[in-house]
Amino acid sequence: MLQSLNDYDQQQVIKEIQFIIQQPTAASSVKQSRNPFRHMRRTDIPFRNYHYFIDYKIATNCQVHVTDIYFDKQLYGEKDRHTDERTMLYQVERIGIGAKYDGVKTEDEIEKLANEWGDPKPSTQVNTTHAAVNGMLNEFTKAQWLMGTHLDNAYQSDAIKAYTLFHNPSDKVVRDLIECAFDKSQSNTSHNAQHLAAVLKQNQQLGKKVKWVAHSQGAIIFLSALRYYRVHYQGLLTGQELAIHGSGANVTDLQQTAKLVGLKTHQPRNNPFDPVPNLAGKNDLSKSSFARSLKFARALLGSPGISPHTLPFLGVKTYHQQLVMLGDHKRAAYVRKYINQAEQMNQLL
């Protein structure tokens, strides 16, 4: 088990073993820490123990014999409380008939996307060609179908049957925002980003070619992970590539950092009406962008089809048609005006 783990997981398991050696008779605890400062200190996992179960025995001479290491089944997967979900790798299988978000859809068709992906299994490493890092406020069940949808869109020529989810669990709005701000600072690296950097390194060491997609906060984590990788690891990530969707990070910074480590990036997909890449990612801080973002901010809380952020961006004309389809004529009119202005500008040029 130890040999199959990436560097980050190995370090956490070793810490657990060291704790057992020091306190072999201590009762194990799988509960989340209630200390609010531990949650705010984003370099550490906010739990009293990690998600591997260590089986050990105490010999008559007081020596500790570790007999096995395996996943603690109480800790992975969907939880009653989102804040009890943990950063882990899951292999997610396609269980549907191939439904994709590849054009304007009805509400019923969009809802079917949630049934396309399922049967997730925890994994110690990436064993699929495709992988994804989800954004904030994505509990486990939402992350697994949404990131499958984004991967289908990012790599349209691939017949994706399974992918690996690097699950970035939600810790509710305030703590998720704190985590985003934490990773945006070049002097900080969250436990999520440290973990992802170790996964990227392991992929490269094993010669695996992996196609990633990072959505929203996932792009922030990915940028932080690449920065951490440059400092703590060696070698280029030439066997891996990244699609950037609804980026919460600055795309130029992410692309330049990726280039320094040999990671290929694709053309980003950011909706011009999405406040996340425009304002949070600082990709467009113009007055017109601020006005668009303000008008569509509440749409982030609406249905996936109306939100400019949730589903993959297929183009501004498709987004306009999607709003018309779902009956949001007020926002559709605003998008239509934007399209007309862009077309007039192109004619002048």
Side-chain angles (χ1 to χ4, degrees), residues 286-333:
S286 64
K287 291 182 179 179
S288 58
S289 170
F290 184 82
R292 292 194 305 271
S293 299
L294 191 63
K295 285 182 179 293
F296 279 72
R298 293 186 63 183
L300 297 179
L301 305 176
S303 67
I306 289 177
S307 169
H309 182 69
T310 306
L311 293 172
F313 177 55
L314 304 180
V316 68
K317 291 184 178 180
T318 302
Y319 183 52
H320 169 259
Q321 295 168 357
Q322 184 65 72
L323 292 173
V324 172
M325 169 70 77
L326 299 181
D328 195 334
H329 299 292
K330 184 177 180 179
R331 289 193 177 95

Side-chain angles (χ1 to χ4, degrees), residues 76-94:
Y76 62 76
E78 182 183 4
K79 300 298 177 187
D80 293 334
R81 297 183 344 130
H82 299 168
T83 51
D84 285 338
E85 295 178 3
R86 302 189 173 206
T87 305
M88 291 183 65
L89 292 174
Y90 295 90
Q91 183 165 318
V92 183
E93 304 289 335
R94 176 169 243 127

Side-chain angles (χ1 to χ4, degrees), residues 8-39:
Y8 183 80
D9 284 339
Q10 282 184 356
Q11 291 171 11
Q12 302 307 319
V13 172
I14 289 171
K15 287 179 182 178
E16 291 282 293
I17 294 174
Q18 290 173 337
F19 175 80
I20 290 171
I21 292 171
Q22 294 169 359
Q23 303 182 52
T25 60
S28 63
S29 173
V30 297
K31 295 181 179 179
Q32 189 176 25
S33 174
R34 303 304 177 193
N35 183 344
F37 295 103
R38 188 171 180 83
H39 285 269

Side-chain angles (χ1 to χ4, degrees), residues 5 37 41 82 85 95 98 114 128 132 139 150 164-165 184 197 203 218 223 238 248 253 305-306:
L5 301 181
F37 295 103
R41 195 172 63 243
H82 299 168
E85 295 178 3
I95 59 174
T128 57
E139 78 282 358
H150 277 271
T164 300
L165 171 66
K184 277 179 173 287
N203 291 342
L223 174 55
T238 52
D253 289 346
I306 289 177

